[in-house]
Amino acid sequence: MSQQKVDVGQDQGAVPVGPGARHRTRSVPIEWAGKTVYVGGDAPILVQSMTNTDTADAIATAIQVKELALAGSEVVRITVNTPEAAKEVIAIREQLDKMGVYTPLVGDFHYNGHKLLTQFPDCAQALSKYRINPGNMGGGKKRDDNFAQMIEVAIRHKKPVRIGVNWGSLDHELLARMMDDNSKLSAPREAQAVMRDALVVSAISNAQRAEALGLPGNAIILSCKVSHVQDLIAVYRDLASRCDYPLHLGLTEAGMGSKGIVASTAALSVLLQEGIGDTIRISLTPEPGGDRTREVVVGQEILQTMGLRAFTPMVVACPGCGRTSSTVFQELADRIQTFLRQQMPVWKTQYPGVESMNVAVMGCVVNGPGESRHADIGISLPGTGEVPAAPVFIDGQRSVTLKGDNIAEEFQVIVQDYVARRYGAPVQV
């Protein structure tokens, strides 16, 4: 079984990784309708997401893909698990194209992917990339044959592949062999460390086998998904030190709500700060009736707060204290942040650079004026017992003072005018 014979213990051409130094990886193009996004190389770190609709429901899936794309997901993955789902992929792609949504679609395959990709060539062509899990392809020769079949389809249709190894479906034969070898050492390592190593070995050896089968080296992305923060950090540090394939980051099951956000931020921030990671997905468990696009927003905010990318103007707002018993500043901060994000689909084409704008919405005189001066545009609302006036600062200078019951509406107009004036194209004379 070739994937177990490849020596992946040596450095595979990666440069040393350190704080602030981007791990050098290959550049993988993902294409659709003449548009291309790149993963790895010098490309920005991409944010991606995944639908949770039944893919056999083409309309519902296309709608959710559009929502995710409008929220900023640069690649969207869909489950392709049944013949019914595979049949609808082409309809989903056509519907998205009609709506002008050209975001690349990634097909997520497990167990029967080799059959679906060969039985439904239109599905194979309509997808921009395949995600395959070597641990869910059977064992022994069957696994090797199924893997080869999927790679051959990717070669035929010129599609890139993410080889995604997962903690919960790790190749049992590989793990058993590595555990056995470890037990024979004079100083055996802990089982957890061997499992982490097995993830890395599985990912890289399967990537090397894909190349041996004829898949270009710049058509392969790797991931090693686990559920715990420290394991993820350890696995990806090891993975980055052994290869130069682009790396997809994310906890496989981050969790719900604040737990999922905190866990994802804790793990990814460490790796991104060390230059590891070329694309990210925040795998949040949606709350009942929750918005699937939240994971896209969280991914963007991780990258933006770290200074790695800019997606939408950020609002700085104070947390509130006994000086700010009124909820006015909280409501205004939420209103402005929502307004800015809603405007971005239009603003990003009309006003280049607006995504880097900083807005401050502060609640009292302690830090309000100072923070507002530091922002591109800011407002300092009155705290409890303060004079009922809200000075507005533009580019560090006090511009106007708002009073009355319509401060929120007036400030929103000022922000809109500022964006048009600062980021709009100069008038041609």
Side-chain angles (χ1 to χ4, degrees):
M1 289 169 284
S2 56
Q3 72 172 45
Q4 296 183 7
K5 294 181 180 178
V6 180
D7 179 10
V8 297
Q10 302 299 316
D11 180 78
Q12 303 295 315
V15 297
V17 177
R22 181 84 180 266
H23 172 51
R24 187 180 302 160
T25 59
R26 313 176 192 193
S27 179
V28 176
I30 305 175
E31 303 174 349
W32 187 256
K35 301 179 183 297
T36 306
V37 297
Y38 292 88
V39 178
D42 296 326
I45 300 165
L46 293 187
V47 175
Q48 60 179 278
S49 54
M50 184 176 186
T51 60
N52 61 354
T53 55
D54 180 356
T55 307
D57 186 340
I59 297 300
T61 301
I63 290 172
Q64 190 173 83
V65 171
K66 181 180 180 180
E67 292 171 347
L68 292 167
L70 290 177
S73 184
E74 293 156 304
V75 176
V76 178
R77 184 159 42 115
I78 61 176
T79 297
V80 186
N81 58 335
T82 64
E84 292 73 22
K87 290 176 183 177
E88 293 301 323
V89 168
I90 186 66
I92 294 167
R93 182 71 269 176
E94 289 175 346
Q95 184 63 37
L96 290 169
D97 292 347
K98 289 178 183 177
M99 295 188 292
V101 179
Y102 301 111
T103 303
L105 291 180
V106 178
D108 192 61
F109 295 96
H110 296 273
Y111 307 108
N112 60 352
H114 58 291
K115 294 180 180 179
L116 296 177
L117 282 172
T118 53
Q119 292 174 2
F120 300 94
D122 287 347
C123 167
Q125 181 57 39
L127 294 168
S128 296
K129 181 164 73 81
Y130 311 148
R131 187 270 187 172
I132 62 178
N133 183 346
N136 286 334
M137 293 185 175
K141 186 177 185 302
K142 179 181 178 181
R143 177 193 57 238
D144 290 348
D145 290 345
N146 293 345
F147 180 84
Q149 196 170 345
M150 294 189 74
I151 297 300
E152 288 163 3
V153 173
I155 295 169
R156 186 182 316 130
H157 292 278
K158 298 181 180 180
K159 305 293 183 179
V161 169
R162 171 159 71 94
I163 297 175
V165 181
N166 197 298
W167 188 273
S169 53
L170 183 58
D171 180 348
H172 296 294
E173 295 173 8
L174 173 64
L175 179 60
R177 194 189 79 243
M178 293 183 66
M179 285 290 190
D180 186 55
D181 291 343
N182 180 66
S183 68
K184 297 174 183 177
L185 298 175
S186 57
R189 294 182 298 163
E190 292 184 357
Q192 193 87 345
V194 178
M195 290 185 70
R196 290 195 296 260
D197 192 28
L199 284 167
V200 175
V201 169
S202 178
I204 298 177
S205 61
N206 278 288
Q208 292 175 341
R209 181 160 185 253
E211 285 199 66
L213 290 166
L215 187 66
N218 68 339
I220 300 172
I221 298 167
L222 297 186
S223 66
C224 290
K225 294 290 195 77
V226 298
S227 298
H228 302 297
V229 170
Q230 294 298 339
D231 288 319
L232 192 82
I233 293 171
V235 165
Y236 274 90
R237 281 174 172 168
D238 190 16
L239 186 59
S241 73
R242 298 196 197 191
C243 75
D244 65 351
Y245 297 107
L247 303 181
H248 169 113
L249 300 187
L251 293 168
T252 187
E253 294 105 7
M256 180 179 288
S258 60
K259 185 271 178 185
I261 293 173
V262 170
S264 295
T265 303
L268 269 59
S269 295
V270 171
L271 293 168
L272 293 168
Q273 182 66 17
E274 296 179 2
I276 300 171
D278 300 286
T279 179
I280 65 173
R281 191 259 171 127
I282 311 301
S283 301
L284 297 180
T285 302
E287 296 172 356
D291 191 343
R292 188 66 167 180
T293 62
R294 190 182 189 191
E295 66 177 43
V296 179
V297 174
V298 172
Q300 289 181 331
E301 290 179 345
I302 289 173
L303 294 177
Q304 186 152 351
T305 55
M306 293 186 68
L308 297 173
R309 288 191 68 182
F311 297 94
T312 189
M314 298 293 285
V315 174
V316 175
C318 65
C321 65
R323 290 177 174 269
T324 56
S325 57
S326 168
T327 61
V328 173
F329 85 94
Q330 300 166 349
E331 294 165 355
L332 180 57
D334 180 66
R335 183 169 176 174
I336 291 299
Q337 181 72 76
T338 300
F339 168 73
L340 295 173
R341 186 166 288 280
Q342 289 175 342
Q343 298 305 307
M344 279 309 295
V346 175
W347 280 3
K348 67 182 179 182
T349 57
Q350 290 186 348
Y351 305 120
V354 69
E355 64 275 5
S356 299
M357 182 177 71
N358 292 310
V359 181
V361 178
M362 305 303 292
C364 78
V365 298
V366 174
N367 291 318
E371 288 284 356
S372 296
R373 284 191 179 93
H374 287 307
D376 294 308
I377 182 169
I379 186 170
S380 180
L381 294 162
T384 305
E386 295 177 5
V387 176
V392 175
F393 297 83
I394 297 177
D395 293 329
Q397 301 297 318
R398 186 164 178 161
S399 172
V400 66
T401 299
L402 303 181
K403 299 179 180 180
D405 298 327
N406 298 314
I407 288 177
E409 292 80 2
E410 292 175 11
F411 182 63
Q412 189 166 301
V413 171
I414 292 172
V415 171
Q416 177 76 57
D417 291 344
Y418 176 78
V419 168
R421 185 175 68 254
R422 176 172 176 181
Y423 299 99
V427 177
Q428 301 296 321
V429 296

